Amino acid sequence: MLITDSNKIETYYQALLDRKQSFVGIFFVGVKTTSIFCIATCRARKPKLKNVEFYTSFKEALDNGYRPCKICKPTENANQAPEQVEKAILLVKEHPKDKITDFQLREKGISPEVVRRWFKNSYGMTFQAYQRMYRINNAFQELKHGKNATHTAFDSGYESLSGFNYTFKKLVGKSPKNSKDKNIILINRLTTPLGPMFVCATDTGVCLLEFVDRQKLETEFKDLQKLLNATIILGENVHIKQAKKEIKEYFEGERKVFDLKLETPGTDFQNSVWNCLNGIAYGKTQTYQQQAEKIGNPKAVRAVASANGCNRIAIIIPCHRVIGKNGKMTGYSGGIERKKWLIEHERNNGSK
Ligand SMILES: [Zn+2]
């Protein structure tokens, strides 16, 4: 949780200045100017009050784009991680580009089960999720720092993109091939009551809107870059600005239909399923079976479900409005709790 209570903020900030051991693990402080987060006892120079925000868990600090401080090592020290877990976290830090597998952990004498259990119990997240956030935050920060170069790229008419290696290379592991013909996907971040999201857009329209902790996010970035022969860089265009505005209105209960332009590269089947999703009205739900019947393929329930799962534009293409038989809540890429919240939100605002 982001702390908004001003008394608490005052107390926490004083604890940060005093390096109070008793507040370790109670709060995680994000420093906006550096995008780093710390625990109370950090020895680094203390940031100004106006530049900090406090979270109650490190998952939230990660979700909001902060990276663990190298001095106070919040992910290791906040909860007295056992030695094996500390080693695993160190591995992530030393290999920020790689996915650390169970095999690699075992090779280092670390039990994957111990690591998994510790992350789950201490922070309610998986070790994989921790690694993913670490990688994505690193890549996003790199994009941020490359911002000036990005402008140069635009000024020079995209031609010199091959020289701009600050792309999502860290995530995709490859540099762009035919950089001359490369398109651009802009990426930006927005906040919602359900947590921060990434939004991506091309010149044509919005091509991605996902919660930052969505499991298949890296795959989606890869797929998008491939499908659109494009490179992801940090930026904002009219579509992203419009998306931010419309999403805000949606969460305020003021918007029921989106006017955004979209770009949804995919198979014909996927696009027919996504189109069908757009036909489910605000505040209403439908089953996978109904959806399959609607596209004239009543037997393709599983394929429909899978195409729903491949939707990259959460909320706007409302895959959260599809539920299982007998109203059962079924899987949602952003998590079941968010799905429930969205359905509830739309029911409450539907009659307005
Ligand atoms: Zn620190």
Side-chain angles (χ1 to χ4, degrees), residues 36-39 42-44 69-74:
I36 296 276
F37 74 97
C38 292
I39 45 176
C42 188
R43 285 178 290 105
C69 169
K70 286 191 175 123
I71 298 168
C72 63
K73 303 186 177 96

Side-chain angles (χ1 to χ4, degrees), residues 75-222:
T75 43
E76 290 148 79
N77 294 328
N79 220 347
Q80 272 125 36
E83 204 189 323
Q84 290 193 43
V85 176
E86 270 180 41
K87 270 202 230 163
I89 291 173
L90 191 68
L91 266 182
V92 176
K93 218 180 298 172
E94 285 170 349
H95 308 276
K97 291 186 229 170
D98 306 337
K99 290 180 191 169
I100 313 290
T101 60
D102 285 2
F103 179 76
Q104 284 167 300
L105 290 177
R106 285 204 189 91
E107 258 186 350
K108 302 261 175 197
I110 305 167
S111 150
E113 290 76 24
V114 168
V115 173
R116 248 197 299 278
R117 210 173 315 124
W118 185 83
F119 267 91
K120 201 89 218 157
N121 291 343
S122 310
Y123 291 111
M125 73 197 291
T126 63
F127 182 52
Q128 278 69 28
Y130 172 72
Q131 290 189 52
R132 194 168 53 240
M133 290 312 301
Y134 196 92
R135 281 195 299 273
I136 290 179
N137 286 345
N138 267 328
F140 197 70
Q141 291 311 323
E142 270 175 31
L143 289 181
K144 259 191 185 167
H145 295 136
K147 206 175 171 190
N148 291 333
T150 311
H151 289 313
T152 319
F154 279 114
D155 293 343
S156 58
Y158 298 3
E159 260 107 315
S160 53
L161 265 182
S162 58
F164 296 97
N165 289 326
Y166 54 82
T167 58
F168 258 33
K169 199 171 148 193
K170 288 267 151 69
L171 283 182
V172 297
K174 267 188 222 130
S175 356
K177 266 181 229 142
N178 308 311
S179 50
K180 258 195 209 150
D181 315 316
K182 276 272 167 196
N183 303 307
I184 301 285
I185 298 170
L186 295 175
I187 184 167
N188 222 291
R189 205 184 249 283
L190 58 97
T191 51
T192 77
L194 293 181
M197 299 183 89
F198 281 123
V199 54
C200 292
T202 61
D203 282 345
T204 312
V206 170
C207 56
L208 180 140
L209 180 70
E210 292 282 20
F211 290 101
V212 298
D213 53 6
R214 190 239 205 276
Q215 245 174 36
K216 282 198 293 182
L217 195 54
E218 284 170 273
T219 315
E220 292 191 335
F221 286 144
K222 262 185 234 179

Side-chain angles (χ1 to χ4, degrees), residues 22 45 65:
S22 55
R45 214 162 64 91

